[in-house]
Amino acid sequence: MIDKERIKKEEMFDGFYGICTDLEASPLELIKINKNRWEIERCFREMKTEFQVRPVYVRREDRIKSHFLVCFLALLVFRLFKQEIPGYSSYESIKTLRQFNLAEISAGDYIPIFQRTDLTDKIHDSFGFRLDRELITQKYFKKIYKQTKKEKKYAKN
């Protein structure tokens, strides 16, 4: 038998749900944190799918922590990358980054073996170097490395 009175009583709470947490914060802060939870969920979903971090075959606590740290750092770098290059799905971005391959043709000299796209062009433009040149020499790699050192120095000031 359907208890219509009970249904009517329960309708008062439609759209509401309880939050149980061990965080010490005001109710408004907890609501704000909970509203941003989807962002955290999305990050974990990206790690599991796009970064292919599973399955994990580590058992020792130090290795588990190390694995988590590497995954977290990869996610952090990827989030920074996505801020720099917005407008592309995580799948598309990671697929493009994985295909950014070079072939060594002689000691320290490389040629690109990836397909140039709008996304690869945006990556090159945003980060200030090109890997789609006919020949990438060891000298050019050193120039890129020096450039990152200079930018790091300016970031500290």
Side-chain angles (χ1 to χ4, degrees):
M1 173 159 355
I2 297 176
D3 186 350
K4 292 184 182 194
E5 190 65 35
R6 174 77 181 208
I7 292 171
K8 192 80 170 156
K9 225 180 197 180
E10 292 293 324
E11 281 179 349
M12 290 182 355
F13 302 107
D14 284 355
F16 293 95
Y17 59 94
I19 299 173
C20 184
T21 181
D22 60 354
L23 296 175
E24 292 184 21
S26 73
L28 290 176
E29 288 176 281
L30 290 173
I31 290 169
K32 184 178 177 185
I33 290 167
N34 192 53
K35 282 185 176 180
N36 292 327
R37 192 179 74 202
W38 68 270
E39 186 100 28
I40 296 166
E41 298 292 337
R42 190 180 75 207
C43 290
F44 279 110
R45 186 174 50 251
E46 277 180 351
M47 273 200 304
K48 290 181 206 171
T49 57
E50 307 303 340
F51 294 164
Q52 301 169 354
V53 296
R54 294 180 355 174
V56 179
Y57 299 107
V58 292
R59 299 284 180 259
R60 287 186 12 205
E61 186 175 344
D62 61 331
R63 292 184 179 170
I64 292 169
K65 287 179 179 179
S66 298
H67 179 77
F68 179 78
L69 177 64
V70 169
C71 292
F72 179 76
L73 290 173
L75 184 61
L76 174 64
V77 169
F78 186 64
R79 287 271 150 229
L80 293 171
F81 171 85
K82 294 268 293 181
Q83 282 182 343
E84 189 70 27
I85 315 280
Y88 293 90
S89 70
S90 296
Y91 173 78
E92 190 176 8
S93 298
I94 290 174
K95 182 180 174 191
T96 298
L97 290 170
R98 283 189 177 137
Q99 292 174 350
F100 249 102
N101 292 315
L102 304 174
E104 188 171 19
I105 56 170
S106 63
D109 293 334
Y110 298 83
I111 57 170
I113 55 171
F114 59 89
Q115 185 173 351
R116 189 174 167 195
T117 64
D118 287 341
L119 180 54
T120 62
D121 287 347
K122 285 184 182 178
I123 292 169
H124 287 128
D125 294 341
S126 291
F127 295 102
F129 61 86
R130 302 216 58 97
L131 296 177
D132 57 354
R133 302 161 46 125
E134 285 182 31
L135 179 67
I136 304 159
T137 63
Q138 195 169 20
K139 184 179 176 181
Y140 186 68
F141 277 124
K142 286 180 182 178
K143 179 183 171 188
I144 294 170
Y145 182 72
K146 280 184 183 178
Q147 182 180 340
T148 62
K149 291 294 185 184
K150 285 181 188 175
E151 288 176 14
K152 202 184 246 186
K153 194 185 310 180
Y154 293 127
K156 289 180 181 178
N157 294 334

